[in-house]
Amino acid sequence: MRPIVYFRAVIIASLAVATGCTQAEPPVLSASDMAIADGYRLGAGDKLRITVYNEPNLTGEYSITPSGTVAFPLIGAIKAGGQTIEQVSQSVTASLAQGYVNNPHVSVEVLNYRPYYILGEVARPGEFPFVNGMTIEQAVAAAGGFSYRANRNHIYIRRARATEERTVVIREQPIEVQPGDTIRVGERYF
């Protein structure tokens, strides 16, 4: 009986030391915190289809460059990074209306979103194509699943335009992956 009490004391002391030596955890996010409040913001790597009605030579597929611009015929570079689809449409319309096209009607849609990234304790860390509606658990599955050392309770996520990483509790509520996210699966301690 005495060795069991001693063993429990050693485990409790080990946990106290391990907990005291770790860094503070980032704040926990809920599904409502992770929602996009003001619409999707375009970024480098997104591929757009810009349609100018009755102007087939201007209609086409355009990629957003690392500098956040789209090279568009006649009007040159258009700022698209950090903009919504509506803002890009208005910008192209306003630029074309300045003597290039009479009464332009422009439509912008996203053909391919930029990829998301997953690293840490998964079988195949790396870059993955974004799929609309994908949850964090599905993203882990796409990366080959958890490694044997993975912390299966918490995952860390940094949104594309965020400056800090946040903690997500797995299986509490489904959290959707967004284009450009970086997902990190941490290591468990015991």
Side-chain angles (χ1 to χ4, degrees):
M1 192 101 177
R2 205 138 165 83
I4 293 174
V5 172
Y6 177 74
F7 182 70
R8 285 184 184 163
V10 169
I11 289 177
I12 290 171
S14 306
L15 287 173
V17 169
T19 304
C21 294
T22 60
Q23 295 178 347
E25 291 290 318
V28 177
L29 289 181
S30 68
S32 61
D33 292 334
M34 301 298 276
I36 301 175
D38 58 342
Y40 177 68
R41 300 288 176 168
L42 299 167
D46 286 336
K47 189 171 186 178
L48 306 175
R49 175 153 182 84
I50 301 177
T51 305
V52 182
Y53 297 103
N54 295 325
E55 296 293 336
N57 293 334
L58 298 176
T59 297
E61 297 177 3
Y62 302 90
S63 294
I64 300 176
T65 65
S67 63
T69 61
V70 171
F72 197 81
L74 298 178
I75 56 178
I78 301 268
K79 182 180 187 300
Q83 304 289 315
T84 64
I85 293 170
E86 293 80 21
Q87 290 171 326
V88 172
S89 178
Q90 291 170 359
S91 179
V92 172
T93 301
S95 295
L96 287 174
Q98 295 177 354
Y100 297 107
V101 176
N102 290 330
N103 195 18
H105 295 282
V106 177
S107 170
V108 178
E109 62 183 312
V110 179
L111 291 178
N112 292 325
Y113 292 94
R114 59 189 177 272
Y116 68 93
Y117 306 89
I118 188 163
L119 50 104
E121 295 299 326
V122 292
R124 292 184 316 273
E127 176 183 300
F128 295 89
F130 174 77
V131 177
N132 201 13
M134 175 181 279
T135 65
I136 289 178
E137 290 171 321
Q138 292 167 335
V140 169
F146 292 111
S147 72
Y148 71 93
R149 293 185 305 239
N151 180 346
R152 297 171 188 243
N153 297 321
H154 297 89
I155 287 183
Y156 306 97
I157 187 167
R158 190 178 72 237
R159 295 293 188 199
R161 299 181 58 84
T163 57
E164 65 181 36
E165 187 175 67
R166 307 289 297 265
T167 302
V168 175
V169 178
I170 300 175
R171 295 178 181 78
E172 192 173 86
Q173 290 180 331
I175 305 290
E176 286 193 9
V177 174
Q178 295 175 7
D181 282 354
T182 301
I183 301 165
R184 182 174 62 86
V185 178
E187 185 176 349
R188 64 180 160 85
Y189 294 106
F190 292 97

